[in-house]
Amino acid sequence: MTDPMRAVLDGTDPDSVLVRVRTAEGVALATRKDYGRPIDYLRYRVKDKISDAQFMAAEYYAGDYFAISPVGSNTMATINHLMMAVPLSPEDRRMLDQEGINGGRMHSKGDCGGAPKDPSDRMLNAAFALKRVDDQLDRVQRELLRDLLIREHTVGTIAQRWRWSPEQAGIMVRYALHRLVDVYENINPDFALYLRQERERKNEGRANRKGRRR
């Protein structure tokens, strides 16, 4: 069976893929449709569905979190551990001191881009990305996102845990996802490009509808 992500990279558009972003260099990101998690329920099955942008930001966050989970859930501790495990040159350390991280991805000396060279590099990149995100969220937002995306609690379970009504829990979860979109737009160039393309597409759709009504 053909992998849907591979199919996107090869230039086709299988129905099982939610979104894709095409740039001059090719596809920057894509995510597969799924229906088994609480975040999928919020995207596809409730009346007041979350947006594609909120769903994509949630996928980024969960992906970074699970990339470092073999080492530990404390992002700063993970960064410290991995920095000791991966030798860095003085030039690399100057880059870190100057926050030389692009979109949550830090390349070591001699690496011009592309996939990280080994699992330690991938985990370090994910730890930096998650630390940058967490620093821009408050404590409640961080915990709600972990409840929904990492622990995979439903909104009803989140409401019980926080002693909120289901309506309050739904509002707070959606606001945390809204904040997550803002954060990734600021720190992740691929995500920012995706949002620009989505906004342009929606604006063109509104303009076309207005033109037809005239």
Side-chain angles (χ1 to χ4, degrees):
M1 181 180 294
T2 302
D3 175 52
M5 297 301 104
R6 183 70 259 167
V8 171
L9 294 173
D10 291 340
T12 59
D13 291 320
D15 291 338
S16 57
V17 170
L18 174 63
V19 294
R20 74 283 297 159
V21 175
R22 285 191 172 84
T23 66
E25 294 77 23
V27 174
L29 57 94
T31 186
R32 189 195 309 266
K33 288 183 180 178
D34 193 356
Y35 299 97
R37 305 164 301 172
I39 188 67
D40 303 316
Y41 184 85
L42 291 176
R43 180 66 194 99
Y44 300 113
R45 298 189 178 183
V46 297
K47 184 177 180 180
D48 182 20
K49 296 179 177 64
I50 64 173
S51 67
D52 282 351
Q54 289 172 317
F55 183 85
M56 180 62 73
E59 293 282 74
Y60 266 91
Y61 190 81
D64 285 335
Y65 192 95
F66 286 122
I68 68 169
S69 59
V71 174
S73 60
N74 184 297
T75 54
M76 201 63 243
T78 301
I79 290 172
N80 292 336
H81 174 87
L82 293 173
M83 285 181 68
M84 290 186 292
V86 180
L88 298 175
S89 69
E91 181 180 342
D92 293 330
R93 293 191 180 279
R94 282 195 295 273
M95 288 172 58
L96 293 175
D97 291 339
Q98 297 167 6
E99 295 186 350
I101 305 166
N102 182 14
R105 182 171 298 168
M106 186 278 293
H107 300 296
S108 60
K109 185 178 180 180
D111 183 3
C112 296
K117 294 182 179 179
D118 58 50
S120 294
D121 284 337
R122 287 194 293 272
M123 292 161 67
L124 179 59
N125 295 335
F128 271 116
L130 193 58
K131 180 66 168 59
R132 294 182 72 199
V133 172
D134 280 351
D135 282 348
Q136 297 185 54
L137 300 170
D138 64 32
R139 182 188 65 83
V140 173
Q141 291 161 0
R142 289 193 297 268
E143 281 300 305
L144 286 174
L145 291 170
R146 281 164 166 74
D147 279 349
L148 179 71
L149 305 174
I150 310 306
R151 303 178 186 107
E152 295 193 354
H153 292 333
T154 65
V155 172
T157 301
I158 291 172
Q160 292 176 354
R161 183 186 176 210
W162 291 79
R163 298 182 181 179
W164 292 333
S165 70
E167 292 77 16
Q168 287 175 312
I171 291 171
M172 293 299 291
V173 164
R174 282 170 171 77
Y175 182 70
L177 290 169
H178 173 76
R179 283 286 300 122
L180 193 62
V181 169
D182 290 342
V183 171
Y184 274 116
E185 184 177 14
N186 288 333
I187 72 172
N188 189 300
D190 287 341
F191 189 78
L193 172 61
Y194 160 68
L195 286 182
R196 286 197 300 273
Q197 292 182 344
E198 282 295 288
R199 288 164 183 157
E200 289 171 3
R201 182 181 61 80
K202 290 178 180 178
N203 289 337
E204 289 175 0
R206 283 194 290 267
N208 291 336
R209 288 193 295 271
K210 288 181 180 179
R212 287 194 295 269
R213 286 197 296 266
R214 291 176 182 173

